[in-house]
Amino acid sequence: MKIINIVGARPQFIKVAPVTEALNEVLGRKATVKMIHTGQHYNGNMSQIFFDELKIPKPNWNLRIGSGTHGEQTGKMLIEIEKALLEEKPDGAVVYGDTNSTVAGSLAAAKLHILSFHVEAGLRSFNREMPEEINRILTDHASSVLFCPTKDAVNNLKREGITKRGKVYLTGDVMKDALVKNSKIARKKSAIIKDLNLKRKKFLLATVHRAENTDTKRNLENIFNTFMDLKEKVVVPLHPRTRKYLEQYGLLKKILESLMVEIIKPVGYLEMLELERNARLILTDSGGIQKEAYLLKTPCITLREETEWVETVKAGWNKLVGADPKKIYSAARNFKPRKEREYIFGRGSASRKIAKIIEKMVC
């Protein structure tokens, strides 16, 4: 028997690590676990560092697709993933999240009649202008089995008519598994707080990379101008895509000269966990970081009008502000969670549940 993981972007490397470990433990000698890396994220700080830190086995296939328009990138992935699947002939293919690698992997598997599993299924932001939303919907409808991280995700699938017995499972969130395992390691190994001369809960952490913010000069300018106006240290691990647009819009020089905004290179998973844990507040347009903020008990301000992680908003630990400078400023100054967190993402056993279900279906 053979299972093949299909990944390509930073958030997927975090998710595939605990699932691969669980698959190897549960399946043992009954199956071989392999991996296709599409190369969607190829920068060392966005890819290789995660394989090193999380001890993810080297991919059996690296397609080196790289960047491009959504159609170009997805099309190339579909072609090359299909070639790999035809050669490997796996009994099951596992895709993760909502990237172009996800939808290409699920479509390639479906058209070859390969049993496909979607980890992190059922999420919806209800904004179809987001490419990730299209990827989520297509992947959920193309995949054979859906692993949902939350009850809301299961309910979203029910509303779309996906209720078949044996297709939808509530497993909890594999990123919770990864965080439980690696947060203690991060505390011991990462020196980023000391290296950046930061003090615990005395700085803000910010990430910006979504197209809705980077591709519109007004949004990106509003966001970074507000960061500079906060009169509080804001640490920004800068995504290559965001740097490109800041340079293109003529905004980067002003930001680099700011005393309050500290631009740093993209960081690995362990360093990011330490930044998130020690920040007073996180400002982000990333889905995964909203979730990590909740798990690490750090209040979050989301620089979007909607989120697929609605549970964090309902729980009172996440506030949506979009790119409105007044809302960003007010939330950064005044937002505080009003209640204790609930265990909405499970208790750190999602990967093993997933591996057990896959075992029953392929072995």
Side-chain angles (χ1 to χ4, degrees):
M1 296 290 181
K2 184 188 296 181
I3 302 296
I4 198 152
N5 287 305
I6 302 171
V7 297
R10 177 191 182 277
Q12 293 166 329
F13 308 145
I14 298 169
K15 294 162 193 165
V16 79
V19 174
T20 299
E21 184 177 354
L23 284 170
N24 283 323
E25 288 177 359
V26 170
L27 298 176
R29 295 181 180 180
K30 289 184 286 187
T32 302
V33 181
K34 290 192 170 184
M35 185 184 300
I36 297 171
H37 183 345
T38 66
Q40 182 173 340
H41 281 174
Y42 49 88
N43 179 293
N45 287 331
M46 302 290 285
S47 178
Q48 187 58 49
I49 191 171
F50 289 87
F51 281 81
D52 295 340
E53 287 185 347
L54 298 172
K55 295 180 172 57
I56 304 169
K58 183 179 178 181
N60 303 89
W61 296 76
N62 192 329
L63 306 183
R64 304 184 188 281
I65 301 298
S67 56
T69 65
H70 284 287
E72 176 189 10
Q73 190 180 63
T74 307
K76 286 179 179 178
M77 287 176 184
L78 186 55
I79 292 168
E80 297 304 319
I81 291 171
E82 182 181 64
K83 290 178 183 177
L85 293 178
L86 284 168
E87 183 171 329
E88 291 286 353
K89 296 181 174 56
D91 299 282
V94 189
V95 298
Y96 299 79
D98 56 18
T99 72
N100 290 341
S101 300
T102 313
V103 71
S106 65
L107 287 174
K111 288 178 178 293
L112 292 173
H113 307 292
I114 296 169
L115 193 65
S116 57
F117 304 90
H118 183 202
V119 175
E120 204 175 81
L123 302 187
R124 298 292 183 269
S125 68
F126 302 100
N127 177 5
R128 292 209 178 193
E129 292 185 7
M130 290 179 65
E132 294 87 354
E133 185 77 353
I134 302 301
N135 292 344
R136 292 176 197 127
I137 294 168
L138 292 176
T139 300
D140 284 340
H141 284 264
S143 297
S144 312
V145 180
L146 305 174
F147 298 129
C148 298
T150 65
K151 291 179 181 178
D152 279 351
V154 173
N155 291 333
N156 288 336
L157 295 175
K158 285 181 181 178
R159 281 192 287 270
E160 293 176 16
I162 305 177
T163 57
K164 185 178 177 182
R165 184 178 175 86
K167 183 179 175 74
V168 179
Y169 295 88
L170 175 60
T171 59
D173 198 301
V174 299
M175 284 186 74
K176 170 72 177 285
D177 301 14
L179 189 143
V180 168
K181 179 178 179 179
N182 289 286
S183 57
K184 290 182 180 179
I185 297 172
R187 292 188 195 190
K188 289 180 180 178
K189 288 191 173 182
S190 174
I192 193 165
I193 302 302
K194 182 180 178 181
D195 291 346
L196 294 178
N197 197 27
L198 300 171
K199 293 182 179 179
R200 178 169 165 76
K201 302 301 179 183
K202 298 294 184 182
F203 69 97
L204 310 183
L205 175 66
T207 74
V208 185
H209 79 282
R210 293 278 183 183
E212 62 202 79
N213 287 325
T214 61
D215 296 10
T216 304
K217 180 181 179 181
R218 181 179 179 184
N219 285 358
L220 203 57
E221 191 168 25
N222 282 345
I223 289 168
F224 276 90
N225 279 345
T226 308
F227 290 171
M228 289 185 283
D229 289 342
L230 286 173
K231 303 295 188 292
E232 191 171 358
K233 174 71 77 174
V234 183
V235 178
V236 185
L238 196 61
H239 194 287
R241 171 191 180 85
T242 312
R243 177 178 283 273
K244 181 185 79 171
Y245 279 101
L246 287 173
E247 289 175 344
Q248 183 178 310
Y249 300 148
L251 303 173
L252 186 59
K253 186 174 183 293
K254 178 183 176 183
I255 296 165
L256 291 175
E257 291 173 349
S258 168
L259 296 177
M260 303 313 298
V261 176
E262 184 166 358
I263 299 293
I264 62 174
K265 293 179 181 179
V267 297
Y269 181 55
L270 299 181
E271 290 185 327
M272 194 63 181
L273 287 181
E274 275 300 275
L275 287 171
E276 290 169 352
R277 185 177 69 86
N278 284 282
R280 179 183 72 77
L281 180 79
I282 293 173
L283 302 103
T284 187
D285 58 11
S286 161
I289 291 176
Q290 293 173 54
K291 186 168 46 179
E292 288 169 349
Y294 182 87
L295 294 170
L296 290 166
K297 301 183 182 180
T298 303
C300 184
I301 305 299
T302 294
L303 306 169
R304 290 162 53 188
E305 299 292 342
E306 66 286 307
T307 178
E308 59 277 17
W309 296 109
V310 293
E311 299 88 350
T312 62
V313 177
K314 291 178 184 177
W317 280 75
N318 187 7
K319 187 174 180 64
L320 303 175
V321 297
D324 185 312
K326 290 183 180 178
K327 289 182 179 179
I328 298 170
Y329 187 90
S330 175
R333 282 276 179 256
N334 303 311
F335 176 65
K336 291 181 181 179
R338 296 182 179 179
K339 55 184 177 180
E340 287 298 311
R341 299 169 311 131
E342 299 174 4
Y343 286 95
I344 55 179
F345 297 113
R347 294 181 178 267
S349 59
S351 300
R352 191 165 182 82
K353 289 179 183 177
I354 287 167
K356 285 284 190 181
I357 294 166
I358 292 175
E359 179 189 31
K360 288 180 181 178
M361 293 190 167
V362 303
C363 294

